Amino acid sequence: MNNTTDTPINVIGLGRMGQALAGAFLKAGHPTTVWNRTASKADQLVAAGAQLAPTVGDALTAGSLTIICVTDYPAMYELLGAGDVALDGTTLVNLTSGDSAQARDAARWAEERGARYLDGAIMAIPQVIGTDQAVILHSGPQQDFEAHRSTLDALGTVTHLGADHGLASLYDVAGLAMMWSVLNAWLQGTALLRTAGVDAATYAPFAQQIAAGVAEWLPGYAEQIDSGSFPAEVSALETDAAAMAHLIEESEAAGVNTELPKLIKAMADRSIAAGHGGEQYPVLIEEFGRSRES
Ligand SMILES: NC(=O)c1ccc[n+]([C@@H]2O[C@H](COP(=O)([O-])OP(=O)(O)OC[C@H]3O[C@@H](n4cnc5c(N)ncnc54)[C@H](OP(=O)(O)O)[C@@H]3O)[C@@H](O)[C@H]2O)c1
């Protein structure tokens, strides 16, 4: 496989993200063929040297590596499932956001039509595509990723997560869970402190320090989860639960929202009731690892 910047690339979908992807390939020197339903979105790329294909089918035949990035999976099926579109001989890298089941279904669908298929998730905004800040996750056959790795490198920091096509989407939502949890915790604290006249900007550096400190614990706590053993080396869950009660009381007294603190405490209380009060915080993985119905 030719992995130099001479490798031709096809990019289908030129929304905000697709334009950034095609632009990064062009900047890296790849002959880039583009197609978009609204053809005018290709104008700037064409001015920068891209070829505009008249149809999706034509775009797919320009080179053997095709990136697709459209709104959702149904849009991808609509485009690539058309009668005049041949996928055989193509490696299709789908950077459209979706869930893991959609990714696995799309892999089967594409492979039945003779394509090699890698799924992907973009954890970045268009403005940083083409820089190290752009984290792009891929999953699917390792050999297909390796065959195109140096080409995909033009997009940012690219990583292969494993052969299961669903992994990129799973990491994507896991990352979102992390992001929203950190932000929600910060908003809870900010709401509390504002009642005492402390503004968000004053609290933010302190919150940042706490978040960074807690992040340091993750590898060690992960070892506890993977080994299924949770000795209370730092503190016991029942000690944390007592502090959670303080957070609820403070929030109630200040007249701010208590939904999040109560949710966290309810999970800890269930774990303590199941006999885990003397173990360390990551024992809560057992609460997170099952649905409430089971
Ligand atoms: N923007 C971000 O910050 C960001 C970050 C991470 C991931 N993503 C993901 O990247 C994907 C694209 O996002 P975007 O920001 O580029 O969205 P966008 O600017 O709204 O562009 C959507 C693209 O999908 C095309 N499209 C939608 N439905 C179609 C259909 N039925 N047939 C043909 N083309 C169709 C649009 O074509 P037209 O131009 O003709 O409408 C356009 O090219 C999404 O899955 C998004 O979740 C985006």
Side-chain angles (χ1 to χ4, degrees), residues 42-66:
D43 288 352
Q44 281 189 357
L45 292 163
V46 169
Q51 294 292 320
L52 176 62
T55 67
V56 180
D58 291 324
L60 277 156
T61 54
S64 60
L65 178 61
T66 299

Side-chain angles (χ1 to χ4, degrees), residues 35-123:
W35 182 89
N36 193 57
R37 178 178 62 181
T38 308
S40 59
K41 290 188 186 172
D43 288 352
Q44 281 189 357
L45 292 163
V46 169
Q51 294 292 320
L52 176 62
T55 67
V56 180
D58 291 324
L60 277 156
T61 54
S64 60
L65 178 61
T66 299
I67 310 291
I68 185 163
C69 185
V70 287
T71 302
D72 52 21
Y73 279 66
M76 181 205 70
Y77 287 121
E78 192 181 323
L79 288 177
L80 301 184
D84 58 345
V85 174
L87 291 180
D88 53 308
T90 300
T91 297
L92 184 64
V93 180
N94 183 12
L95 297 181
T96 302
S97 299
D99 64 35
S100 58
Q102 287 178 315
R104 293 180 188 122
D105 287 348
R108 275 190 295 275
W109 182 88
E111 285 164 2
E112 278 166 17
R113 285 158 180 77
R116 294 180 171 280
Y117 182 90
L118 288 167
D119 207 84
I122 302 174
M123 303 190 72

Side-chain angles (χ1 to χ4, degrees), residues 171-192:
Y171 267 75
D172 193 21
V173 291
L176 292 174
M178 190 77 197
M179 181 185 81
W180 287 320
S181 296
V182 171
L183 289 175
N184 289 338
W186 173 64
L187 291 170
Q188 181 78 39
T190 300
L192 254 178

